[in-house]
Amino acid sequence: MIRPAELIERKRNGEELSSDEISELILGYARGEIPDYQLAAWCMAVYFRGLSGQETHALTDAMINSGETIELGKALGRRVVDKHSTGGVGDKTSLAVGPIVAACGVPFGKMSGRGLGHTGGTLDKLESIPGFRVELTIDEFVVQVKEVGLAIIGQTGNLVPADKLLYGLRDVTATVDIVPLIASSIMSKKLAGGADAIVLDVKVGDGAFMKTLDDARILAEQMVDLGRRAERTVVCLLTDMEQPLGRTVGNALEIREAVETITGHGPADFVELVLDACSRLLSLSDLGIDLDEGRRRAESAIADGSALQAYERWIRAQGGDPDLAALPQAPVVREVSAPRDGVVARLRALDVGIAALELGGGRRTKDDALDHAVGVVCHAKRGESVRRGHLLADVHARDDDSAARGVEAVLAAYEFGDTAPHAHGILLDLIE
Ligand code: URA
């Protein structure tokens, strides 16, 4: 029997733990035999000391072994593709990618997480849809992917329960931005979920956990390595998170933008990312098509309305109302105006993410309830010219006081210049 305090101490002192020790620690935590405070202390020791490749592998295995796994491919008789993002501000990619991929005839079954820190979570966004159930049993999940072609659920029941617990704990103990913990958290869910091929979206920049391209590459390589050990294909897109993705940040606001995107009215950066992710997923599927054909099919699913139909079928199948008019709306909407003429030189994603969190759209402690209606709509983004007094953003708030604080915080997220900053696309690098 391990002594958790001893493992914390040894990790704190920079020692490498054995696979059995990591397994006992994680499984003991998942069984409720090791308390939160000891795991939190261990995570903090990992923050300072890191994990070796062997430890990261053992951690991933222990997370998977903490619960059941799904043989989704076997159940469907198909090759299964999946995607996951490391988390960013305004990242509603799965909400648009899922319906497009499903409309192209590729089953899409995904386990998602809740918001972490200033980043939003797909489950929280989905729960802004009245009636939507994120907690399906594994059997319900498999049946839905088979019959509807699309399901996104939480880590409910017994799927990677250790990650579910750890994720909530890390969120409130400043232990989110740790490369091996992120790698094992993401890959344990993807491997337990039965994906044969995985497209990972590693966010890079101020609003992401990985602040630099170099750190993002290290995370991507660790995840590709975990995938290789498990004999799965993993492709990592490294994408820009210096500014919020798309225009909206906030749960219901992001659902709205995802639906606008699958009907052909999305903002350029978000459309670019969604089409890129879709074409990669389709080319890794059993359709036997290449990237260009994948992109062409994704574009036609948007143009011919089949992506929207797939969205509506999916939301209804999970008990939700797909009508956008049913989404909650914030009672107070305040404009943020440009203080000067110029060009938006920066729109700091982190600041906008924190502003949305402070409005009530995110959690400060792991049991906080969310306000699904609140958030920020950034009308002006990096590189856009603005005139003094013109609209930069809207703050959607519960009351006047929080709206006033939100306006101040969002304005502070903007930086203006006289010339356009260097322009680049959303995709910064690719690791396969
Ligand atoms: N996304 C995850 O699933 N896990 C993390 O640890 C961070 C982002």
Side-chain angles (χ1 to χ4, degrees), residues 84-87 113 116 163 167 170 176 181-183 185-186 189 209:
H84 200 89
S85 146
T86 55
L116 271 185
D163 179 61
Y167 202 92
R170 288 168 52 216
V176 170
L181 297 190
I182 298 177
S185 163
I186 292 178
K189 283 177 290 217
F209 300 125

Side-chain angles (χ1 to χ4, degrees), residues 62-330:
M63 305 256 250
I64 295 172
N65 292 336
S66 70
E68 294 170 50
T69 53
I70 308 180
E71 303 260 2
L72 195 53
K74 233 183 232 166
L76 302 174
R78 299 277 307 262
R79 183 173 159 81
V80 171
V81 296
D82 197 354
K83 83 156 273 291
H84 200 89
S85 146
T86 55
V89 177
D91 185 6
K92 70 271 316 168
T93 313
S94 298
L95 301 171
V97 163
I100 296 172
V101 167
C104 294
V106 171
F108 191 82
K110 173 169 160 49
M111 264 191 285
S112 283
R114 299 200 174 275
L116 271 185
H118 64 279
T119 68
T122 302
L123 294 186
D124 296 328
K125 293 167 201 186
L126 284 169
E127 280 181 343
S128 58
I129 301 174
F132 192 91
R133 283 197 312 134
V134 298
E135 311 224 332
L136 303 194
T137 64
I138 294 178
D139 287 347
E140 286 174 322
F141 173 69
V142 172
V143 168
Q144 186 175 313
V145 178
K146 217 173 190 169
E147 291 179 355
V148 181
L150 174 54
I152 299 186
I153 61 164
Q155 289 156 263
T156 53
N158 206 15
L159 274 168
V160 206
D163 179 61
K164 190 178 180 197
L165 290 170
L166 209 51
Y167 202 92
L169 183 69
R170 288 168 52 216
D171 188 22
V172 290
T173 54
T175 49
V176 170
D177 52 345
I178 307 176
V179 166
L181 297 190
I182 298 177
S184 57
S185 163
I186 292 178
M187 290 306 290
S188 62
K189 283 177 290 217
K190 301 298 101 180
L191 300 178
D196 298 298
I198 304 154
V199 173
L200 296 171
D201 178 5
V202 179
K203 301 281 182 209
V204 192
D206 152 83
F209 300 125
M210 298 298 105
K211 306 289 179 204
T212 65
L213 209 46
D214 284 348
D215 285 348
R217 286 197 187 103
I218 293 171
L219 174 61
E221 274 154 16
Q222 288 199 8
M223 292 195 287
V224 169
D225 186 49
L226 289 171
R228 191 181 305 123
R229 286 175 193 248
E231 299 180 354
R232 318 289 168 97
T233 311
V234 179
V235 176
C236 284
L237 313 175
L238 272 53
T239 68
D240 180 27
M241 190 33 69
E242 276 294 317
Q243 63 174 348
L245 179 62
R247 299 205 180 277
T248 59
V249 182
N251 298 293
L253 293 168
E254 292 188 45
I255 294 279
R256 207 175 277 286
E257 187 166 62
V259 173
E260 283 163 9
T261 301
I262 59 174
T263 52
H265 304 101
D269 60 342
F270 186 49
V271 171
E272 185 187 337
L273 177 57
V274 166
L275 288 176
D276 199 316
C278 286
S279 52
R280 284 179 201 283
L281 286 164
L282 294 175
S283 71
L284 290 169
S285 76
D286 53 13
L287 292 183
I289 59 176
D290 64 10
L291 273 177
D292 290 342
E293 176 61 12
R295 189 176 174 106
R296 204 195 55 69
R297 291 198 195 178
E299 281 169 347
S300 20
I302 293 176
D304 68 13
S306 55
L308 179 63
Q309 284 164 11
Y311 172 81
E312 291 175 346
R313 267 200 312 279
W314 159 46
I315 300 300
R316 282 203 193 93
Q318 282 182 243
D321 182 347
D323 187 351
L324 291 185
L327 290 172
Q329 292 195 20

